Amino acid sequence: MSNTWKLMKLMVKMQLSFAHRSTAEKTGYLILAVIMIPFGLLILTLLNELIAAMYAAFSPTGDEAVILGVLFVLMIVFYCFISIGTVLSSFYFAEDVESFVPLPFHPYQIAAGKAAVPFLSLYGVNAVILLPGLAFYGLHSGAGLLYYSSALLVWLLLPVLPFVLTAIAIMFMMRFVNISKNKDRSKVIAGLLGFGFVIGINVVIRLEGGSQNMYQLAAEQGDLLGLVTKFFPTAYISSSALAAPASIQGILFLVLMTALSAGGIALFFTIGQKLYFKGVLGLSGGKRNTFTEDTVEAYVKKKPLIYSLFRKEVLLILRTPTFFTQVFVQSLILPVLAIVLIIMEMDGPLGGAGTQLAEMNGKFVILASVGLSVVVFGSNPASISSISRDGKSWFNHLYLPIPPSKVIMSKMLTAYLLNAISLVILSAAALWVIKIPLSIWTAWFILSLLISWIASAAGVMVDLYSPKLDWTDEREVFKGRFIGIVPLAIEALVFGVILVIVWNINSLQGLWPVTGALLIIFLLLVFLMQTAMKKLTERRYHNLL
């Protein structure tokens, strides 16, 4: 085990060390941490109020453990969601994976080392949500020291099984996916399967948890906790352990949780020893291309410059596994998940949402819709990585006879394309599922097109101002960079001020007058963003290296 610990510590230092980071980058992290303090306080306040309201609702019937059950279920889903991307990237997509194979380490030791950083990243989520959630529950329930001691142990153990089972499932999948001997295609398929896994989890939860009859039956039988945690045994065990930490039953549940976590780790080592190398060794396969005169001529035909640059950017995202999962898949998760949730709730309040929107104040509807669009399209992974994706090859742009404006515009169009795809998906749900009025959809769609352009420009400008070009692994473009928060925060401030001003102009009433005013303002913003983009390009384009 000593070699395993050494390897884990080495990989953690390699990925998390600040030794190679510039002073500007370290200063940026410090500034970001200071900026995030008020947002953290807001999250804590909302979480406290939510737990207080739930405790007031469930405590009269003795079902307060349901609060813990809901919290643990949500956290387990978060763990699985986060682990899919981090495990794929660390275990299989990193450029240093195959360099560890010849070293004198067992497969399970290398798998444990590669798992260290992805697993530790789960405790970031734990510290933000689960830890204060458990503390607030203890305060509202008047729990004693034994509760907090047990809660700390549960806090440490809860991520273990979700991470281990997700990692095992991915190792098993990659063992067979890589039989194709095509590295990039295998990774893309793995990313799509992970995307489908996330959507599938939510479908199952909605199908099983949304039945009112089941809720009433569980309430009558006093087993609400069992209903909430039906598909998450560790959530049930953890909730039961903390509901009565001083009882024999609570202690036994805590011991059971500890034993399951230890068993999960042992299972991970066992499966890693048998499957990890088999999946990794399949990554080195390739595909032999056969060139003919017709295929060569098809590729060398003269095409518009902006089209060729745009096509290159799109293919780079689709053919680079890390960029595919972090950019393309991440851009589509929220829209597709929103459609799934909407469809699952059509028998509930959303079933009559279209009619309700038609009867509401048009000014309120369009302003609320614009605010939603800012949140959905505000941080585009394609825009905030547009320059950084080139890495050290950015130097090629400095001697190729290509105007800088064309290069930047191709990156803008790539980011805008992904936002446009999300917009089309959401539009399909709005028109054919919710059946919102055509007038409201038209106004929202036009304004959202402009919002997407502004958001794409903001992301490209932020990445152009401070790109990450010295990476040796594509994951470094996204890992440890909070650059996505910067354009989103700026857009939230700018659009928030605009929406508040328009809301308080009493002379502006009705759907179309408000839409017309917003359209003029957004067109002005587009012009200002393009002017700023031109000036920033002239100042930064040739000085990035």
Side-chain angles (χ1 to χ4, degrees):
M1 286 299 293
S2 61
N3 288 337
T4 306
W5 281 113
K6 290 178 182 177
L7 194 58
M8 291 172 69
K9 288 190 291 185
L10 174 64
M11 292 190 182
V12 169
K13 289 181 179 179
M14 288 173 57
Q15 297 187 47
L16 300 183
S17 173
F18 275 78
H20 64 285
R21 302 185 189 274
S22 64
T23 303
E25 193 171 358
K26 295 177 182 177
T27 304
Y29 283 122
L30 179 61
I31 295 174
L32 182 63
V34 173
I35 294 175
M36 289 301 294
I37 290 175
F39 289 99
L41 294 176
L42 177 62
I43 292 174
L44 292 178
T45 302
L46 294 176
L47 183 61
N48 182 37
E49 292 179 355
L50 177 61
I51 291 178
M54 293 181 68
Y55 195 86
F58 286 109
S59 59
T61 58
D63 291 316
E64 56 267 28
V66 172
I67 302 172
L68 294 172
V70 171
L71 181 62
F72 291 143
V73 167
L74 291 177
M75 293 307 302
I76 290 172
V77 173
F78 270 126
Y79 298 150
C80 294
F81 174 75
I82 295 172
S83 298
I84 289 172
T86 56
V87 169
L88 281 170
S89 297
S90 181
F91 281 46
Y92 298 100
F93 295 174
E95 296 299 322
D96 63 351
V97 169
E98 295 184 29
S99 63
F100 285 100
V101 175
L103 298 178
F105 292 108
H106 290 287
Y108 80 87
Q109 293 174 322
I110 298 177
K114 302 297 288 183
V117 172
F119 181 68
L120 289 176
S121 67
L122 297 183
Y123 286 99
V125 181
N126 256 12
V128 174
I129 302 176
L130 183 58
L131 188 61
L134 293 174
F136 291 145
Y137 177 86
L139 291 174
H140 289 292
S141 63
L145 181 61
L146 185 58
Y147 164 82
Y148 290 104
S149 302
S150 302
L152 181 60
L153 181 59
V154 169
W155 180 81
L156 290 171
L157 295 177
L158 192 66
V160 174
L161 278 179
F163 178 83
V164 163
L165 295 178
T166 302
I168 290 174
I170 289 175
M171 284 192 287
F172 183 80
M173 177 182 66
M174 292 300 290
R175 164 66 182 88
F176 296 100
V177 167
N178 280 317
I179 289 177
S180 64
K181 299 300 181 183
N182 186 304
K183 178 179 180 179
D184 291 343
R185 185 176 300 170
S186 299
K187 294 178 179 179
V188 167
I189 292 173
L192 289 175
L193 289 175
F195 176 62
F197 174 74
V198 174
I199 301 300
I201 284 180
N202 285 274
V203 171
V204 171
I205 291 175
R206 301 306 301 178
L207 282 173
E208 298 295 337
S211 172
Q212 186 65 25
N213 291 332
M214 289 179 62
Y215 178 87
Q216 292 176 351
L217 180 61
E220 292 172 359
Q221 296 177 350
D223 192 24
L224 283 179
L225 179 61
L227 173 64
V228 170
T229 59
K230 182 177 181 180
F231 291 96
F232 302 89
T234 54
Y236 178 83
I237 294 170
S238 302
S239 303
S240 301
L242 297 183
S247 66
I248 298 297
Q249 183 181 11
I251 295 173
L252 290 176
F253 274 122
L254 194 61
V255 171
L256 177 60
M257 185 68 182
T258 305
L260 287 175
S261 300
I265 294 173
L267 182 63
F268 173 79
F269 286 160
T270 303
I271 300 297
Q273 180 71 16
K274 294 182 178 296
L275 295 183
Y276 182 56
F277 272 7
K278 294 179 180 178
V280 169
L281 294 176
L283 293 171
S284 58
K287 178 183 177 182
R288 179 178 297 177
N289 291 311
T290 303
F291 293 97
T292 64
E293 183 177 350
D294 293 336
T295 57
V296 172
E297 289 182 356
Y299 276 98
V300 300
K301 283 183 179 179
K302 185 176 181 180
K303 298 181 179 66
L305 178 59
I306 191 66
Y307 168 79
S308 298
L309 291 172
F310 169 72
R311 185 173 182 271
K312 178 184 78 70
E313 291 291 330
V314 173
L315 291 178
L316 176 66
I317 292 174
L318 295 180
R319 291 178 176 177
T320 307
T322 301
F323 294 156
F324 179 82
T325 54
Q326 297 289 337
V327 176
F328 184 77
V329 173
Q330 292 290 345
S331 297
L332 296 184
I333 279 181
L334 283 179
V336 174
L337 188 57
I339 288 183
V340 171
L341 296 179
I342 288 171
I343 293 175
M344 302 304 298
E345 291 290 342
M346 285 310 295
D347 293 334
L350 286 179
T355 304
Q356 295 173 7
L357 287 174
E359 297 173 352
M360 293 175 65
N361 183 351
K363 180 177 182 178
F364 172 80
V365 171
I366 194 61
L367 290 179
S369 301
V370 167
L372 178 63
S373 295
V374 172
V375 173
V376 174
F377 306 120
S379 183
N380 185 337
S383 65
I384 60 177
S385 63
S386 54
I387 310 299
S388 300
R389 286 195 302 268
D390 289 334
K392 295 182 177 66
S393 66
W394 176 263
F395 179 78
N396 297 334
H397 295 299
L398 303 184
Y399 62 82
L400 290 175
I402 300 175
S405 59
K406 298 287 187 182
V407 175
I408 299 300
M409 180 55 66
S410 69
K411 296 179 179 296
M412 273 279 301
L413 291 174
T414 304
Y416 188 67
L417 173 65
L418 291 177
N419 269 347
I421 293 173
S422 299
L423 183 58
V424 169
I425 293 174
L426 293 174
S427 295
L431 287 173
W432 285 288
V433 182
I434 301 180
K435 297 181 180 179
I436 68 172
L438 185 61
S439 58
I440 295 177
W441 172 82
T442 303
W444 168 74
F445 187 81
I446 294 173
L447 295 177
S448 294
L449 287 174
L450 296 177
I451 292 171
S452 297
W453 186 268
I454 296 169
S456 300
V460 172
M461 289 176 65
V462 169
D463 198 41
L464 179 60
Y465 182 79
S466 179
K468 175 80 172 178
L469 298 176
D470 58 343
W471 52 265
T472 56
D473 183 347
E474 292 93 344
R475 293 178 300 158
E476 296 176 27
V477 175
F478 308 95
K479 184 182 62 180
R481 297 181 78 210
F482 298 95
I483 190 172
I485 300 176
V486 177
L488 182 59
I490 295 173
E491 293 155 24
L493 177 63
V494 172
F495 284 104
V497 171
I498 292 172
L499 295 181
V500 169
I501 292 174
V502 172
W503 175 257
N504 286 282
I505 298 177
N506 295 326
S507 59
L508 270 179
Q509 296 294 332
L511 176 66
W512 291 112
V514 174
T515 301
L518 292 176
L519 182 63
I520 295 172
I521 296 172
F522 290 173
L523 286 173
L524 177 61
L525 283 178
V526 169
F527 173 76
L528 293 175
M529 292 294 290
Q530 292 304 113
T531 303
M533 176 79 75
K534 181 180 178 181
K535 292 183 178 180
L536 185 64
T537 301
E538 293 172 354
R539 185 158 59 93
R540 293 285 297 163
Y541 188 86
H542 293 92
N543 299 317
L544 295 181
L545 294 177

